[in-house]
Each structure stands twice: as structure tokens, then as C-alpha cells.
Amino acid sequence: MTAFSSLGARLYTWFHGDPVSNRLVIALAELGPEDCVLDVGCGPGAAVSGAAELIGARQVAAVDPTLAFVERIRSRVPGVDVREAEAESLPFADDTFTVVWSISAMHHWADRAAGLAETVRVLAPGGRLLLIESALRKAGHGITPEQADQVMRELRALGLAEVDAADHRVRRRKTYTVIKAVAAA
């Protein structure tokens, strides 16, 4: 993934600080007081902030490979455990989180299979995984139906159940593909 400078992170945050995809993941995650959330590839942290407002900052963690985003979230949402890390090497113990999500970041992962394995590793039994990407017709900055099918096959091979994908139209011209899976209890 390309790292942002401090200025680049500020500009990205200004333009993309609270996209509809962040509100979508909060709604679909159906967070409750018992949940512990990890945002993989958190960017400027709008979903991190939303989760912290719902369940408390101490129950939310986030990783991003860009130090500038990590620093911005630390100041934006005090109390959240935010770390500089890649999806392929998450710095958390097995079975830590009841909800893990990645919003518009999976297509940046250097090794998708390793990133998926790591998200499953840190997901607690019965936990929920949500992967949100822009719905595309051809490969690019998002996910195609064929790529979504491949991701679902990989998640099933990793032992997740109830693996499903659905498109969510959020604006007239914007649709997100949401892959949702549940870890075996």
C-alpha cells in the first residue's frame, strides 16, 4: 500500500473523512455493548470514531500501514488502540475481536490471502467479519463479482460460516459490495 505523508493524510481526511461506507459498516455490524471491534486499514478513522461513540473507545482497535493516519486517529479518538500495521501481520492475539471489518482497503493488501487469514485469526468464535469494497465491473480500486466470489471461497476455506456477499447501493451512482462472514462458535 502506498503510504501517505502527513499532508497527504490531512488532505485525504478532508476529502474522505466520513464516507457513506463508514456509516454502512457501522449499521451492518449491529454493534452491541459486548463487542470488541478491529478496523483493518482504518484510513482517517471515521468508522473507528463511529464505533467508539457506540460501544466506547476502549473496545475499539484499528490498524493502518500509514503512520500519518495512525497519528490522526490517536488525536481524533483518544482511548482507541490504534497501531501502524499491515493486514498481513496484525499485532493482536488470536480470537481477540467479536467484529473485524475492512472498508475500501482490501484491494490495497499486498497479499490478500495472508490478510484474510490474519483477520480470521484475530476473530473470536462467533465473531463477524465485514469486508466492504466499491462494486466494480472490471478490476481496479474496489472488487468485481468474480473477485468477491474468490474472497468468499477463501473465507470458507479458512473455516468461516455464513459467508455471503451483497451489493448495497448508497447513492445514485455508488454501490458497495459487502462480504459478511461469521466465525464458527
Side-chain angles (χ1 to χ4, degrees):
M1 170 153 191
T2 304
F4 285 88
S5 66
S6 181
L7 176 60
R10 284 189 188 120
L11 289 172
Y12 186 90
T13 301
W14 189 65
F15 284 108
H16 305 285
D18 189 22
V20 69
S21 58
N22 290 282
R23 293 186 296 277
L24 177 62
V25 78
I26 296 289
L28 294 174
E30 300 176 352
L31 298 177
E34 72 289 343
D35 282 318
C36 186
V37 173
L38 174 62
D39 186 333
V40 179
C42 58
V48 172
S49 179
E53 288 175 19
L54 283 173
I55 62 173
R58 302 233 180 274
Q59 290 174 246
V60 180
V63 297
D64 199 278
T66 303
L67 180 59
F69 283 139
V70 170
E71 291 171 346
R72 289 194 56 78
I73 294 169
R74 284 181 180 151
S75 64
R76 180 180 180 179
V77 192
V80 167
D81 181 0
V82 59
R83 303 178 192 187
E84 183 180 7
E86 302 276 345
E88 299 87 351
S89 183
L90 297 174
F92 300 101
D94 296 358
D95 305 330
T96 301
F97 301 97
T98 59
V99 178
V100 176
W101 65 54
S102 181
I103 307 164
S104 299
M106 183 176 60
H107 66 272
H108 289 293
W109 298 353
D111 183 343
R112 185 181 70 205
L116 291 173
E118 278 292 278
T119 61
V120 171
R121 180 186 64 77
V122 300
L123 191 61
R128 302 166 322 270
L129 173 66
L130 292 107
L131 303 168
I132 297 182
E133 291 284 341
S134 293
L136 302 176
R137 292 180 193 192
K138 61 182 182 175
H141 197 74
I143 195 167
T144 65
E146 295 79 18
Q147 291 169 325
D149 288 342
Q150 178 61 36
V151 169
M152 290 190 300
R153 283 192 295 275
E154 291 176 41
L155 292 174
R156 287 184 190 106
L158 289 166
L160 294 186
E162 300 178 41
V163 180
D164 191 22
D167 284 346
H168 292 263
R169 178 171 243 147
V170 294
R171 288 189 202 129
R172 186 170 155 216
R173 292 187 159 188
K174 185 66 175 177
T175 301
Y176 289 99
T177 296
V178 178
I179 299 171
K180 191 172 183 179
V182 177

